[in-house]
């Protein structure tokens, strides 16, 4: 396993982290929440043996079961590991048990601490945007949690770039603890974060952790045009990540060629590509079975050549973002030569 620091902090995390979203059982998402206690124990043991020290969960996963199971399975190694959990999505019937208000964050943090069986959270992440709560209220509350010792570091997940940038500047202006992490979806078939999220995070010294790195399992190479919607597979019950699947199938065919040269799988190549990106501190790998996890863990040892990275980049390059056409034109030598841009 390889390690790095999380963003501009001194917190050392493994380049691959384990995501416990599948832990527990809940009929709301049966294709996701389906891992038993025994299978969870095997996966945690496998992760630890491979050198993973970074574990991710959320208060909303399987009604809190994921936090309970993860906390129990890591109890004897708590001082050795980094645990991230999240707040923001609904985790109870009352109307107040959702969002990023001071009331809900403080309540949810205490509940997460109880479920995890710990007295501090290494990385506390706001799981979504809250259009109702003033940003100052959310940020001041997070700062208070850090000052209280209940939380060590803070991050955001799935925030728009304008809100995360505004929040980071507000934190600096007010002397509050700044975000050191952004947990975003980033894959070979979904590279839109490269437009503005990645440049902002690099400028701010914020480390990215990647969720859904295999696009719901699509980039494992196990899907075909025929079995894509078969009942029971992950994409049939959790197809929330938009991407062009026909282009995806073409990409996977090319990736199989690269995988063959490394004696690897398509999934391992997908993960290895992400690990070449400077903004990425850690890639979250989840699984519902130990063999899936063992396969993904091998990605840490794969070194893609510059030519292979360039090929994958060219095959999946995002198209132009038209609102930024003027800035792109500033660098166009034809426009400069014609005197249109000086």
């Amino acid at each position: 396993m390889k390690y790095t620091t999380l963003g501009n902090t001194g917190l050392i995390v493994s380049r691959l982290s384990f995501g416990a979203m599948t832990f527990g059982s809940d009929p709301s998402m049966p294709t996701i929440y389906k891992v038993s206690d025994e299978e969870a124990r095997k996966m945690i043991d496998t992760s630890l043996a491979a050198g993973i020290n970074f574990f991710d969960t959320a208060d909303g996963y399987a009604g809190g079961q994921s936090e309970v199971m993860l906390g129990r399975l890591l109890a004897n190694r708590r001082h050795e590991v980094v645990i991230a959990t999240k707040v923001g999505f609904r985790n109870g019937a009352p109307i107040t048990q959702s969002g990023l208000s001071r009331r809900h964050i403080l309540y949810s943090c205490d509940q997460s601490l109880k479920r995890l069986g710990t007295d501090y959270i290494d990385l506390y992440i706001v799981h979504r945007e809250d259009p109702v709560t003033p940003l100052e209220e959310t940020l001041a509350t997070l700062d208070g949690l850090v000052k209280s010792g209940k939380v060590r570091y803070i991050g955001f997940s799935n925030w728009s770039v304008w809100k995360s940038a505004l929040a980071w500047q507000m934190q600096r202006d007010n002397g509050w603890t700044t975000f050191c992490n952004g947990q975003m979806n980033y894959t070979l078939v979904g590279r839109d974060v490269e437009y503005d999220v990645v440049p902002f995070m690099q400028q701010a010294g914020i480390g990215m952790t990647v969720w859904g790195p295999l696009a719901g399992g699509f980039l494992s190479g196990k899907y075909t045009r025929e079995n894509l919607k078969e009942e029971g597979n992950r994409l049939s019950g959790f197809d929330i990540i938009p991407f062009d699947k026909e282009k995806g199938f073409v990409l996977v065919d090319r990736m199989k060629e690269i995988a063959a040269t490394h004696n690897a799988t398509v999934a391992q190549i997908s993960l290895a590509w992400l690990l070449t990106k400077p903004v990425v501190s850690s890639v979250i790998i989840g699984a519902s079975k130990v063999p899936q996890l063992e396969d993904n863990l091998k990605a840490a040892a794969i070194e893609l050549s510059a030519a292979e990275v360039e090929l994958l980049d060219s095959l999946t390059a995002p198209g132009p973002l038209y609102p930024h056409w003027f800035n792109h034109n500033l660098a166009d030598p034809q426009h400069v030569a014609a005197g249109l841009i000086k």
Side-chain angles (χ1 to χ4, degrees):
M1 183 57 62
K2 297 175 182 178
Y3 302 86
T4 189
T5 53
L6 184 64
N8 59 4
T9 74
L11 182 64
I12 299 173
V13 295
S14 48
R15 296 300 314 277
L16 294 178
S17 43
F18 181 83
M21 184 179 182
T22 58
F23 284 9
S25 176
D26 192 315
S28 64
M29 285 198 291
T31 62
I32 302 297
Y33 305 139
K34 57 182 179 181
V35 172
S36 66
D37 284 342
E38 179 60 21
E39 194 71 10
R41 181 189 63 76
K42 292 177 182 177
M43 286 195 281
I44 293 298
D45 289 345
T46 299
S47 298
L48 291 168
I52 283 181
N53 78 333
F54 192 8
F55 296 84
D56 179 87
T57 184
D59 63 355
Y61 294 164
Q65 293 176 61
S66 174
E67 287 183 322
V68 171
M69 294 169 67
L70 184 65
R72 183 171 64 246
L73 292 168
L74 291 175
N76 293 333
R77 307 284 291 272
R78 179 65 185 99
H79 67 290
E80 302 174 29
V81 299
V82 174
I83 296 178
T85 192
K86 311 180 196 73
V87 59
F89 280 103
R90 179 161 297 284
N91 63 359
I95 195 171
T96 54
Q97 287 187 228
S98 179
L100 300 175
S101 68
R102 178 182 298 276
R103 183 186 192 279
H104 183 62
I105 290 175
L106 294 178
Y107 170 80
S108 293
C109 183
D110 285 343
Q111 294 303 305
S112 287
L113 289 168
K114 291 177 182 177
R115 285 190 291 266
L116 288 165
T118 184
D119 57 1
Y120 69 95
I121 295 166
D122 294 289
L123 176 62
Y124 201 39
I125 301 169
V126 282
H127 208 168
R128 66 177 183 88
E129 294 184 8
D130 183 344
V132 177
T133 302
L135 196 51
E136 294 90 340
E137 180 177 335
T138 297
L139 301 178
T141 304
L142 293 173
D143 180 65
L145 285 174
V146 174
K147 287 183 168 63
S148 73
K150 292 182 178 181
V151 169
R152 301 292 192 253
Y153 301 91
I154 56 173
F156 60 86
S157 179
N158 307 316
W159 277 30
S160 55
V161 69
W162 75 265
K163 179 158 280 190
S164 51
L166 176 60
W168 181 79
Q169 189 60 54
M170 289 173 62
Q171 289 167 330
R172 285 167 56 86
D173 290 345
N174 287 280
W176 295 331
T177 305
T178 56
F179 289 135
C180 68
N181 166 252
Q183 188 175 123
M184 307 296 290
N185 181 243
Y186 188 17
T187 73
L188 272 164
V189 293
R191 295 173 56 186
D192 56 297
V193 292
E194 293 178 3
Y195 287 122
D196 45 19
V197 174
V198 168
F200 157 65
M201 291 178 69
Q202 290 179 308
Q203 174 67 26
I206 295 173
M208 182 184 290
T209 49
V210 179
W211 69 266
L214 299 181
F218 185 91
L219 289 173
S220 68
K222 68 181 179 180
Y223 290 109
T224 66
R225 294 170 178 83
E226 291 71 37
N227 71 11
L228 191 61
K229 293 298 182 181
E230 282 184 2
E231 185 176 351
N233 71 44
R234 181 163 183 161
L235 276 177
S236 70
F238 195 66
D239 190 6
I240 66 168
I241 305 172
F243 64 92
D244 187 325
K245 293 184 175 57
E246 184 52 41
K247 288 184 178 179
F249 283 121
V250 174
L251 169 66
V252 168
D253 287 340
R254 296 297 300 274
M255 292 175 68
K256 288 177 180 177
E257 299 172 7
I258 296 175
T261 67
H262 290 271
N263 192 27
T265 63
V266 171
Q268 291 164 15
I269 299 302
S270 301
L271 298 171
W273 175 81
L274 280 167
L275 292 174
T276 68
K277 302 305 177 183
V279 73
V280 175
S281 294
S282 187
V283 178
I284 302 170
I285 55 174
S288 57
K289 298 176 182 178
V290 172
Q292 293 175 340
L293 176 60
E294 291 174 334
D295 182 79
N296 291 341
L297 285 168
K298 294 176 183 178
I302 294 177
E303 296 286 346
L304 295 175
S305 69
E308 288 169 333
V309 173
E310 184 178 356
L311 174 61
L312 291 172
D313 284 347
S314 65
L315 289 172
T316 61
L321 188 63
Y322 292 105
H324 298 309
W325 65 269
F326 184 79
N327 290 327
H328 290 309
N329 283 347
L330 289 177
D332 189 328
Q334 290 183 336
H335 290 171
V336 173
L340 298 176
I341 304 293
K342 296 182 180 179

